[in-house]
Amino acid sequence: MAGAIIENMSTKKLVIVGVILLLFQAFSFMVGGLIAPSPTTAVHYLATKCVDAVKGHQSGRWFMPWGPNQCDKIQDFDEAMSKKIEANDIVFAVHIPLPNKEMSPWFQFMLVILQFDIAFKMYNQIEDGAVATIDVGVAYRDDMLGEWTEMAHSIERRKLSCNFTTTKTYENEGRYYECDLLPFMELGNVAHKYYLLNIRLPVSERNKINVGIGEIKDIRLVGIHQNGGFTKVWFAMKTFLTPSILIILVWYWRRITLMTRPPVLLEKVIFALGLCMTFINIPVEWFSVGFNWTWMLLFGDIRQGIFYAMLLSFWIIFCGEHLMDQMERNRFSIYWKQVGPIVFGSFCLFIFDMCERGVQLKNPFYSIWASDVGTELAMAFIIVAGICACLYFLFLCFMVFQVFRNISGKRSSLPAMSKARRLHYEGLIFRFKFLMLVTLTCAAMTVIFFIISQVNEGHWHWGDYTVQVNSAFFTGIYGMWNLYVFAIMFLYAPSHKRYGDEQSRGESTRFRQPLNVTTSNVAMAKCLTFL
């Protein structure tokens, strides 16, 4: 009876495979750190104050801050007061990108953050719980002389969170509040070259609209988009890794189907993990360069969610199938208590994502962080997800500890074997323990990746080279998951080799049961499970 490749392959060949995978892992980190630029770029914009002199504010009219058809501008609100220009006639215009530049589909997405410059005035202070009402529209065009086409228009409300750090006296009038950044707009695709934002702050004392928000001097925006160079590196990695995983997946399942027995649970789960890895690898993002697919961000989140849910479930089943004290292995139903919460948590995160990015498909100005309820809900999701991730990792460590403890307890049967056979099974135990430690390392690296990805982008200088830390982690972790799945499918594929002679087949079969589950659970409980 043939076992798995990890069982029958010689140590020399396994070392060669391990070194090759390690070199690919190092290469994936270096691609992001030394070749790719930083994942994103932030560009700062200062809104231009345009004057809408047309009574009734004609719809469909767009105000350009610069260029041949630029609007009538004012420098500040003192000039507006001297010219008797009302606040409702002022339009804050922002052109994205800056002059003499173009946006590109390679930028993939665009996130815009808003910040108000609000001056302190004794007679016009920011009230507690002040909310700014913003009438905003965004348009696009693909040449500098073309007409603007409206993309979206909305009236949004953003709660101000500002702090005045000095004493509120007449001497300190004119100093600025310190206000938090506000989520403003997110586009799931950058299909056009030029974008134009027109922002109004309508004032109505009777309806309490934009009353008690202080004296707004300027509006600043920060546009964040993915770097085109990083996008090309990312697409190249996906294009290379997709056929690699697909080939090993087909090869693995072909070996399974050639067996005279039906596949066991662990083999099915490994195959499902390979399918999910292939699904997340398929570089459908190439189409976003030529098509205006605004749903690509949401689709990417769904793919990642499916993969991570499958990966977390795989680890539970992978460890559970190797716990020798369990008498009912090879049945998916016994894992519902562990896998059920993973599926439920993934579904909750999907609903949370749909509540924001799903709505943004119609209204790019919508943000779940804009309201108090949405902010509390979002923070609750993040905190609970972080706690659950830590608990899951601790539980996984506990399961691995149980497996190691049980294996150590069964080692007492090894001295009764011949020296050659004892050395063989001691090598198998070491191989399995090493693979389990690699699994824990992958899980730990994922946690570190998510923590670092929340920190501001940075880079390190290494001699004459600049190492992009965030890019290295993006490409490195992505490469790590592909190499891990590749290794699992390769090492756990059935081997065509046989160990030992015909006289020792009974003993060898007994020790390889977990990979070829064809006998009773009682016999399995007696065997040394290492794979």
Side-chain angles (χ1 to χ4, degrees), residues 451-459 469-470:
I451 293 174
I452 292 183
S453 63
Q454 302 303 315
V455 182
N456 292 332
E457 291 188 12
H459 57 269
V469 179
N470 280 12

Side-chain angles (χ1 to χ4, degrees), residues 11 23 67 71 92 110 112 141 177 219 226 242 291 295 300 304 376 433 439 444 473 498-499 506 517:
T11 302
L23 290 176
C71 62
F92 295 87
M110 181 166 57
V112 180
R141 66 183 182 185
Y177 287 88
I219 293 180
Q226 187 165 295
T242 297
F291 299 94
W295 44 266
Q304 289 182 8
E376 293 176 358
K433 285 187 174 182
T439 298
F473 266 83
R498 301 171 183 268
Y499 176 75
V517 181

Side-chain angles (χ1 to χ4, degrees), residues 51-71:
V51 178
D52 186 1
V54 179
K55 298 299 180 182
H57 300 161
Q58 180 181 356
S59 61
R61 184 183 180 192
W62 296 94
F63 296 85
M64 181 71 178
W66 46 263
N69 298 318
Q70 60 183 283
C71 62

